[in-house]
Amino acid sequence: MTHFFDQLADDLKGRLSALAAAGTIPALPETLGGVVIEPTRDPAHGDVATNAALALSKVLGLKPQVLGQQIAEAMRGHPAVVEASVAGPGFVNLRLSDGFWRDQLAAILAAGSTFGASDKGQGQKVNVEYVSANPTGPLHVGHCRGAVFGDALAALLEKIGYAVTREYYINDAGGQVDTLARSAHLRYREAHGEDIGEIPEGLYPGDYLVPVGEGLKEKFGDRFLNQPEEIWLKPVKDFAIAAMMVMVREDLEALNIKQDVFFSEYSLHTSGRIDEALQVLVDKGLIYEGVLEAPKGKQPDDWEPRPQTLFKASEFGDDTDRALKKSNGAWTYFAADIAYHLDKYRRGFRRQIDVWGADHGGYIKRMRAAVKAISGGEAELDVKICQLVKLTRGGEPVKMSKRSGSFVTLRDVVDEVGKDVVRFMMLTRKNDAPIDFDFDKVTEQSKDNPVFYVQYAHARARSVLRNAAVEIPGLDTGRASLADASLERIATVDELALVKLMAAFPRQLEAAAEAHEPHRVAFALYDLAAGFHGLWNKGKDDPSLRFIHKDDPALTLARLALLQAVCDVIASGLGILGVTPVEEMR
């Protein structure tokens, strides 16, 4: 569907073309892409405003206010426009008829929980890579935020018509998985009855590796006892990584996250795709042997001014060129990441989104430079950083999990408060702002708890819909009956204000998707919930504003239709966030 802002903008452009054809204004430029219709900042000025006079005044050689008056006069001919005026430097404010808003209500009822969906993305392929935690243990609460953010962003992009692939990059090459293997081998020895004592510094201490050790014993018996590391490292590593990925998938399942692709970093090394990717850069003249300048600030202890294989990242927006090989001749992580993003590009993803943790911000410029270089500028990488989550209970930091050995796990949080609360709360701040997750507040029933406030709005509306059929026997409150309700009975300022909030939802989704900011959906739902609760509270003081009127079934049906629309929009938004709308609060 096309939201009404775009529909009005298209109509405005048609009226501008008619003015030009009649000679009232000079000929228009070929494109009017900068002309938009948006909500007014102050509802007292009107419902919507257009920047057309400001956007076109210079090219047409007219003063903005003069052009604005002509635009206002033209828009007064629109059947939905009841008032058009010029304000400030040339903005044209429009007030729309009550009938127009009732038509928007009808459109919401017709769309149901699909309201807000569109084909804006036109089926373009987008790869959203998120979580991608090292397969060395259970996911922690920091991974939880990135998982929810990435999943909601993928759903948001799908909602407006993109073809989205959800992807997890398994970091199964490098030192961290060797450490995992050594840690698992220690638990394997323990499973055979050995007293391993305290877990040595540098190994993973969590209890989650105890069953891995037992599994190793069951599969390999005593084959790897008293054997040198070169004998057991590879098979133990493969077994442990597989076990960790089962755990990761189970953790993600607890959040109702299912990714389409799990891509192995190790496969890049064994398939020769890193060499292939670097050859692409060689062929483009973007690789050379050189010596990097010393890092600014405090130098790392292992830094030395030695010749290295370098990528000309500085030609693509990075601060410096970047090394592709370590001193031992092995590829750097950056080299593998280049190969991985080339693989994405070759799979048809011109749009790539990576969701990273807070400690990876310094890596963004080089990765964007690499994607630009390997794709010849055809692919675009957007990196979203998810900041830290601070867990508290009673004002005190939450203690770490013994199972993990060093952190609070994703599963600990989901098991305590439920996936819906976790998912919604992780989207109550912009991704690059820290989140305070207070276990006491996220379960309290108050306006200060956004997930309760939104869920309560849906449950309240559903409750009225159920009660209406009881209080007025024979009243058909099914969707078909509500769709035929006499919507002209929706006439109060507060009712129409609620319709306006809902009608803006598709535009809010498109803006959120364009900015890659799914938290905007949570904000929009909170605003809608506030509007609904406000209308409800007024009905407590003024009986004429209540939803059910036993002596006026037509008015009741119209107001029930309004409530059904509230449910539909909340359900639509919660679907993007991965949260289940509730029928009643317990």
Side-chain angles (χ1 to χ4, degrees), residues 185 188-190 192 194 220-228 232:
H185 188 264
Y188 164 73
R189 288 160 46 196
E190 182 181 44
H192 278 280
E194 183 178 334
F220 297 110
D222 61 2
R223 188 186 316 171
F224 297 137
L225 290 177
N226 304 313
Q227 291 292 326
W232 55 258

Side-chain angles (χ1 to χ4, degrees), residues 204-393:
Y204 299 119
D207 291 348
Y208 62 89
L209 286 175
V210 172
V212 176
E214 294 169 349
L216 284 165
K217 176 185 176 183
E218 183 177 343
K219 180 172 183 178
F220 297 110
D222 61 2
R223 188 186 316 171
F224 297 137
L225 290 177
N226 304 313
Q227 291 292 326
E229 183 176 290
E230 59 266 23
I231 297 295
W232 55 258
L233 186 67
K234 179 68 165 60
V236 169
K237 179 164 55 178
D238 291 346
F239 184 93
I241 289 172
M244 293 302 97
M245 288 310 300
V246 169
M247 184 185 300
V248 165
R249 284 181 168 91
E250 290 174 347
D251 286 348
L252 293 174
E253 181 66 30
L255 279 172
N256 198 27
I257 291 174
K258 296 177 182 178
Q259 284 160 305
D260 304 308
V261 175
F262 285 83
F263 191 102
S264 164
E265 177 190 356
Y266 183 67
S267 71
L268 294 171
H269 293 265
T270 57
S271 64
R273 275 178 282 181
I274 299 179
D275 299 87
E276 186 180 338
L278 273 296
Q279 188 59 50
V280 170
L281 295 177
V282 168
D283 293 343
K284 292 175 179 286
L286 298 175
I287 302 292
Y288 70 102
E289 294 294 318
V291 178
L292 290 175
E293 293 183 9
K296 295 179 180 178
K298 185 179 179 181
Q299 293 183 11
D301 293 335
D302 61 351
W303 183 82
E304 55 181 342
R306 62 179 179 82
Q308 293 177 287
T309 303
L310 302 173
F311 161 55
K312 296 180 180 179
S314 58
E315 292 188 8
F316 299 90
D318 199 0
D319 299 322
T320 184
D321 293 343
R322 300 293 178 177
L324 298 173
K325 281 192 175 180
K326 302 176 184 177
S327 57
N328 63 3
W331 293 117
T332 61
Y333 283 115
F334 182 46
D337 285 340
I338 293 174
Y340 174 46
H341 286 78
L342 175 60
D343 185 88
K344 290 184 188 180
Y345 171 66
R346 287 180 169 172
R347 282 186 274 147
F349 296 110
R350 302 296 186 265
R351 292 173 178 262
Q352 301 178 15
I353 303 170
D354 289 359
V355 181
W356 295 351
D359 56 341
H360 289 81
Y363 205 72
I364 295 175
K365 282 187 177 180
R366 75 188 68 179
M367 205 62 249
R368 294 188 69 179
V371 170
K372 191 181 295 184
I374 59 176
S375 69
E378 290 186 3
E380 178 182 293
L381 172 66
D382 185 22
V383 178
K384 291 296 182 183
I385 295 292
C386 286
Q387 280 295 341
L388 303 176
V389 179
K390 180 182 177 183
L391 296 175
T392 60
R393 193 192 310 275

Side-chain angles (χ1 to χ4, degrees), residues 420 445 451-467 532-533 536 567 570 574 580-586:
D420 285 342
Q445 296 188 349
V451 62
F452 167 79
Y453 198 58
V454 172
Q455 290 279 41
Y456 189 33
H458 186 274
R460 247 184 175 178
R462 295 297 302 158
S463 175
V464 177
L465 285 162
R466 289 192 298 270
N467 291 340
F532 167 71
H533 289 308
W536 171 284
C567 291
I570 290 177
L574 289 180
T580 304
V582 297
E583 292 294 309
E584 56 186 338
M585 302 301 289
R586 296 176 181 174

Side-chain angles (χ1 to χ4, degrees), residues 1-9 11 37-39 46-49 75 78-83 94-108 115 487-488 490-491 495-497 499-504 506:
M1 64 176 292
T2 303
H3 55 69
F4 77 85
F5 291 96
D6 279 353
Q7 293 169 354
L8 285 174
D11 182 272
I37 287 184
E38 300 177 309
D47 295 314
V48 297
M75 290 305 292
H78 191 291
V81 174
V82 296
E83 183 182 327
L94 305 175
R95 193 172 302 282
L96 305 173
S97 68
D98 293 351
F100 174 85
W101 295 114
R102 295 185 190 106
D103 288 344
Q104 303 309 305
L105 176 57
I108 297 169
F115 184 66
L487 296 183
E488 66 271 8
I490 300 298
E495 288 171 339
L496 291 169
V499 175
K500 292 175 185 180
L501 272 177
M502 293 188 286

Side-chain angles (χ1 to χ4, degrees), residues 29-105:
E30 288 187 12
T31 176
L32 299 178
V35 173
V36 296
I37 287 184
E38 300 177 309
T40 55
R41 294 182 180 179
D42 184 350
H45 297 157
D47 295 314
V48 297
T50 179
N51 66 340
L54 292 167
L56 298 173
S57 61
K58 187 173 181 179
V59 69
L60 297 183
L62 296 173
K63 291 182 178 180
Q65 289 189 323
V66 172
L67 181 56
Q69 292 293 348
Q70 292 171 319
I71 291 171
E73 181 59 34
M75 290 305 292
R76 290 184 187 110
H78 191 291
V81 174
V82 296
E83 183 182 327
S85 59
V86 181
F91 286 104
V92 178
N93 294 326
L94 305 175
R95 193 172 302 282
L96 305 173
S97 68
D98 293 351
F100 174 85
W101 295 114
R102 295 185 190 106
D103 288 344
Q104 303 309 305
L105 176 57

